[in-house]
Amino acid sequence: MSNSKSFNRRDFIKAGAMGAGASLLPLSSCERSAASASGVAAGGASVDPVLQIGDNIAIANTEYGKVKGFISRDVYTFLGIPYAADTSGANRFMPPVKHEPWDGVRPAVFYGNSAPQRIYDRSSTSYGAFVDHWNYDEISENCLTLNIWTNSLSDGKKRPVIVWLHGGGYTSGNGIEQDGYHGENIARYGDVVYCSINHRLGAFGFSDLSVAGEKYKDSGSVGLLDMVAALQWVHDNITNFGGDPGNVTIIGQSGGGGKVCLLAACPQAKGLVHKGVALSGSAVGGNNPAYSKVLGEYIIKEAGLTPANIEKLHELSWNEYLDLANRAMVKMREANIDSGSRRGGFGPVADGVHLPTGTFFEEPLPNSPDIPMIFCTTFHEQSPSRTNAELENVTLEEVATRLKERYPDKAEAIVAAYSKNFPDAKPIEIWALITANRSGVVNAATAKSKQSSPIWVAWFGFCPPLFDGRMRAFHCLDISFWFLNTDLMVTHSGGGERPRKLSRKMADALIAFARTGNPNCDALPEWPQFTVENGETMILNDVCEVKNDPDREARASLL
């Protein structure tokens, strides 16, 4: 996969486009009615200028200096604001440090750099690129930036703050990777301040080089510490953007859902986060420190260095270091070294300092956050027939055969249990339900229930008509629904009024949760808190309803 760009979007901006095109989002009927009172007429016709930018427009103060964004349909937008310094050179492997103050007014009109990574295939023949049309521009270690959308800078309101943590595991992604991450619609509709952040990933965020001494003691968790630094910046600066630093909700999907759980267990995040939403991803533990240290030793060996001259790793280009670290990881896997952990590779280390050892949440830890949380997954996550129409007519017997590699002794029993639990599901849907089973999120919710804060659980089942209906309720689909972006992310939702209806309900629940710590709202049936005994779950679909642990019997067959 190449890191080259098909065109230089920054040159395009300098030529006069202002980078605003990405913010001029199509309005659904819900967003149109919300915007009409502030300069957008019915039908989407503009009364006032759609875009405003100038010397005295959208100026805000930060701890480092003033920034200038723009106003898109009355929503103040600031992109690529630094929350910490460049992480290259001497700062590589080190905890984030403060940015140097700047003189004058710094433009904040385009997204910051993505962290070093290998980006996805974006060729013309890629269905993945069509569906997700990933947004990437420049990639560098100068990547610690955030984006902000808000309705006002100076009206004195204290708006709830929502901070988005992107997916991609701990190795890829960025704060605006998909258009569904965009914050304009939810900021306008819910009168919230919406932020998204970039942070170090993979080998740059989680290379545990502590074998080299005290200087590198935090190196296995600096990507996590970047997130904490971003939240600290929000705490210290968001009042200047109309937000309430005492009411911050973190939300993430896939790897971002795991990051929500990490921060909900991280002592350094206490007081910086007040609520959490984990979508199609969770974590109840970090990497085993012993494993992470061995991976660090493999990196040093692969570089032909010793702990005494490890500083030479700072001199490599990011491409060189990323390739070196990944080679070391492959060699370690080939040596069959047990991770001793729920997750191998590069990820935050459960060192007892930044993350608890053992299972998160299960023991009362007074120095860690104890926050209300929502957990949600999708029905099918990865539908096996999404890119293979021939699998659409698979039989139950064939499903069992295909599952034998993963469940050699009980594939037939699992298929039978799921078929009994979901008698109306097609065999291909049974297959998807099994591979996308909710065990991880139910385990996380169960662990979290040991704390005092309340929990809610949801299961997203909306299936778009795309690809002859084969995508089903897939991984990432629900993101655009939470943020009122279904018309922007039509390659996920299909667009139109059907997804809008559900999106409005989900956005109302998210906004209620961000305001009060409780997702109950007029748009949905009463949403009871999750209990281990009943497994109360809100089904999010064309018809929304609560069911008690709807796949409990099927899931038991996996044990």
Side-chain angles (χ1 to χ4, degrees), residues 9 11 71 82 136 141 226 287-288 290 311 342 357-358 368 376 384 387 400 433 457 471 487 493 498:
R9 286 186 282 179
D11 288 345
I71 304 174
Y136 287 88
E141 290 177 82
D226 290 346
N287 271 2
N288 184 298
E311 302 249 344
R342 296 171 179 84
T357 58
S368 292
C376 180
T387 57
L433 286 163
V457 171
M471 296 175 75
D487 282 334
S493 70
R498 179 180 164 233

Side-chain angles (χ1 to χ4, degrees), residues 468-485:
D468 303 312
R470 297 198 312 274
M471 296 175 75
R472 296 187 165 83
F474 64 93
H475 196 65
C476 296
L477 172 59
D478 57 327
I479 300 170
S480 63
F481 286 75
W482 292 106
F483 299 143
L484 288 169
N485 287 333

Side-chain angles (χ1 to χ4, degrees), residues 76-123:
Y76 289 79
T77 305
F78 300 85
L79 308 177
I81 301 175
Y83 64 83
D86 189 339
T87 64
S88 63
N91 288 340
R92 185 180 286 172
F93 315 124
M94 297 293 111
V97 297
K98 292 281 189 179
H99 198 281
E100 290 293 326
W102 54 77
D103 296 326
V105 181
R106 179 187 177 107
V109 295
F110 201 76
Y111 305 108
N113 297 335
S114 298
Q117 60 192 278
R118 299 296 177 224
I119 63 174
Y120 303 106
D121 172 24
R122 294 188 291 175
S123 65

